[in-house]
Amino acid sequence: MQTDVQKLQTVLNQAVENARQSSERGQVAQYIPELAKADPQKAGIAITLDSGETIGAGDWQQPTTIQSISKVFTLALCLGTMGDNLWARVGREPSGSAFDSILQLEHESGIPRNPFVNAGAIVVTDAILATYQPKEALGEIVRFVQGLAGDDQIFIDGKVAQSEEDTGHRNRALAHYLASCGNLHNPVEHTLGVYYNQCALTMDCAQLSRAGRFLAFAGTLGPNRQQMVSMRRARRIAAIMLTCGHYDGSGDFAYRVGLPAKSGVSGMILASVPGIASIAAWSPGLNQSGNSYIGTQMLEYVTNEMDWTVFS
């Protein structure tokens, strides 16, 4: 489907202008010291189209860590090796609770509600370690994302990873509880080390929109439709993004934006417009559910103006 690039650029520019005029910005993530340094006035958005062309507006070329959006890529890798066997260890239902809830994990006997809450992503990372040693797993994750984006400049921010490890007490609690239930098969320190580092993958909006393009095009990339993941896997990942990608704010996001998407506490959001485009939006201030306040506003404006939704 052809998209009017000139119209789209105008819409992106206006989305950023609206963001700059907003008096409410949300709150940056205070519990990770490196993320607490972010400027909540920043806002950027980028879109990669079927042709591979990427356009953007605002602070769309400023790198930041993608945080929980990395869970999309590790889930794709894990399903590639484990297939449906993964679902014996993690569910596929919306949580209705905070992304780091211990109470929910205890109530459900150590089976995380979905792969995008922290406990679920820790299980996915642990499952990847059945095939790779920790350093090899990190290398495989980075190479996979670089390949999707077509960009070998994507890297892990060591300072942010260390900051997350230094303050990751709740994630350690989740991991130890998972281990106590027999749902963690590797040493806690090994699994969490990979988890903290994958969350510190660093990209700008342009790179992230390119890396997520396979979700919009049935697992393929480029004019030759190179199959990066199977069509079925891409479809299933997008389905979980729609229902679970914004934690206990997923329903509100689906209502307002109407697209499969995944958020991160750095203020990044990756969204997919099936058959049309991949979108990355960023603004560091978060709402009460831990999702970008301004990023959601920008995506709502763009999807309304372009009439992009999976519900039409």
Side-chain angles (χ1 to χ4, degrees):
M1 183 181 295
Q2 294 295 316
T3 300
D4 185 335
V5 174
Q6 187 173 6
K7 175 186 176 182
L8 185 54
Q9 184 68 68
T10 300
V11 169
L12 295 185
N13 292 343
Q14 188 60 52
V16 170
E17 183 59 30
N18 294 346
R20 287 172 175 160
Q21 294 176 8
S22 175
S23 57
E24 176 58 51
R25 315 296 300 184
Q27 298 292 323
V28 299
Q30 297 292 331
Y31 56 92
I32 300 174
E34 285 297 314
L35 297 188
K37 300 174 183 178
D39 179 0
Q41 298 301 314
K42 297 287 188 179
I45 187 167
I47 294 181
T48 298
L49 301 169
D50 188 15
S51 64
E53 180 179 4
T54 301
I55 61 174
D59 302 298
W60 65 299
Q61 293 178 305
Q62 178 166 328
T64 190
T65 56
I66 65 171
Q67 295 299 315
S68 286
I69 299 172
S70 67
K71 298 170 185 177
V72 172
F73 303 113
T74 53
L75 178 60
L77 277 174
C78 190
L79 288 174
T81 57
M82 286 193 68
D84 286 345
N85 292 326
L86 174 65
W87 306 124
R89 298 181 60 185
V90 60
R92 301 190 295 271
E93 296 296 334
S95 66
S97 300
F99 56 79
D100 56 358
S101 173
I102 295 175
L103 180 63
Q104 186 175 66
L105 186 64
E106 184 175 8
H107 179 69
E108 298 184 343
S109 304
I111 302 296
R113 185 62 69 89
N114 64 68
F116 291 155
V117 293
N118 286 16
I122 290 169
V123 169
V124 170
T125 300
D126 184 71
I128 290 173
L129 290 174
T131 307
Y132 302 99
Q133 292 298 311
K135 287 185 178 179
E136 294 172 341
L138 274 176
E140 186 66 18
I141 292 166
V142 172
R143 283 190 295 273
F144 180 57
V145 175
Q146 288 176 338
L148 291 171
D151 190 336
D152 62 7
Q153 299 303 305
I154 293 168
F155 65 98
I156 291 171
D157 186 324
K159 284 187 177 181
V160 175
Q162 187 62 53
S163 184
E164 295 192 47
E165 184 171 354
D166 291 344
T167 57
H169 308 298
R170 186 171 288 262
N171 283 327
R172 280 193 284 276
L174 290 169
H176 281 290
Y177 191 80
L178 288 165
S180 76
C181 295
N183 202 9
L184 207 73
H185 301 165
N186 295 278
V188 166
E189 296 77 12
H190 289 180
T191 300
L192 286 181
V194 175
Y195 176 73
Y196 294 136
N197 277 275
Q198 77 186 42
C199 288
L201 273 167
T202 299
M203 295 186 237
D204 61 25
C205 290
Q207 291 169 317
L208 181 57
S209 71
R210 289 195 289 267
R213 188 161 50 119
F214 76 103
L215 294 163
F217 300 104
T220 66
L221 287 182
N224 297 325
R225 290 286 183 250
Q226 180 183 3
Q227 200 77 45
M228 302 301 289
V229 305
S230 72
M231 181 186 303
R232 179 176 295 180
R233 203 189 326 166
R235 185 183 70 202
R236 289 176 170 175
I237 293 169
I240 299 172
M241 290 169 69
L242 180 67
T243 57
C244 308
H246 277 66
Y247 311 118
D248 52 331
S250 296
D252 183 66
F253 185 89
Y255 178 85
R256 292 174 59 186
V257 178
L259 295 174
K262 182 71 192 81
S263 67
V265 295
S266 61
M268 277 279 201
I269 301 175
L270 172 65
S272 177
V273 192
I276 297 175
S278 174
I279 315 174
W282 173 62
S283 187
L286 309 177
N287 62 21
Q288 291 184 338
S289 297
N291 306 310
S292 176
Y293 184 91
I294 293 297
T296 301
Q297 283 192 340
M298 290 192 292
L299 284 166
E300 184 176 14
Y301 178 80
V302 170
T303 54
N304 282 338
E305 291 297 308
M306 299 302 297
D307 196 24
W308 286 346
T309 175
V310 297
F311 298 114
S312 62

